[in-house]
């Protein structure tokens, strides 16, 4: 039960994290899974890819295919709208952090 609630809560953090990296440089899915793991988030491809697709259809991310080591990978980068959302989310996250940190 609490696991389910935490997953829901962390989904917002994960969205911000994804936008943050997309703003820095294009990434591909399995790289993001590893990156999130390092930050303590276990997310499966079955969760991540639909999430990337929904960010793409909301026009916050854009995808392009690139060949990397003989494999076609889908790279995601941020759109101007995504950058605006990120800026907003960053301000809100910072505000919340200031409030709750002890
Ligand atoms: Zn990160």
């Amino acid at each position: 039960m609490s696991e389910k609630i935490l997953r829901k809560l962390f989904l917002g953090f994960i969205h911000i994290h994804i936008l943050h990296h997309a703003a820095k440089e294009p990434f591909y899915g399995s790289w993001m899974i590893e990156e999130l793991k390092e930050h303590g988030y276990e997310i499966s491809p079955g969760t991540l890819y639909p999430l990337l697709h929904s960010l793409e259809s909301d026009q916050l991310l854009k995808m392009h295919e690139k060949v990397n080591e003989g494999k076609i990978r889908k790279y995601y980068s941020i759109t101007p709208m995504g950058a605006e959302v990120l800026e907003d989310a960053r301000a809100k996250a910072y505000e919340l952090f200031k409030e709750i940190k002890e």
Side-chain angles (χ1 to χ4, degrees):
M1 188 59 192
S2 72
E3 177 76 8
K4 201 176 155 193
I5 295 166
L6 284 175
R7 287 195 80 85
K8 210 192 242 181
L9 188 63
F10 294 162
L11 211 50
F13 299 166
I14 288 170
H15 275 84
I16 297 172
H17 206 125
I18 288 172
L19 289 176
H20 166 72
H21 281 289
K24 290 211 291 191
E25 59 182 332
F27 65 83
Y28 51 89
S30 55
W31 181 87
M32 183 53 71
I33 288 174
E34 284 304 308
E35 168 66 16
L36 289 168
K37 196 185 278 176
E38 274 179 35
H39 289 284
Y41 301 100
E42 288 287 343
I43 183 167
S44 68
T47 303
L48 181 71
Y49 286 102
L51 206 155
L52 292 175
H53 295 154
S54 87
L55 287 169
E56 193 189 350
S57 64
D58 288 341
Q59 295 177 7
L60 303 181
L61 291 183
K62 55 181 187 295
M63 188 272 285
H64 68 275
E65 290 184 338
K66 212 173 103 182
V67 180
N68 183 330
E69 291 164 9
K71 260 179 87 173
I72 297 174
R73 288 195 188 277
K74 292 182 155 105
Y75 280 81
Y76 295 87
S77 53
I78 204 156
T79 64
M81 206 202 293
E84 268 178 48
V85 168
L86 175 62
E87 202 169 306
D88 244 32
R90 180 183 285 137
K92 293 270 196 307
Y94 182 62
E95 186 56 36
L96 177 63
F97 170 72
K98 280 195 304 182
E99 175 87 18
I100 66 176
K101 76 177 161 66
E102 296 283 42

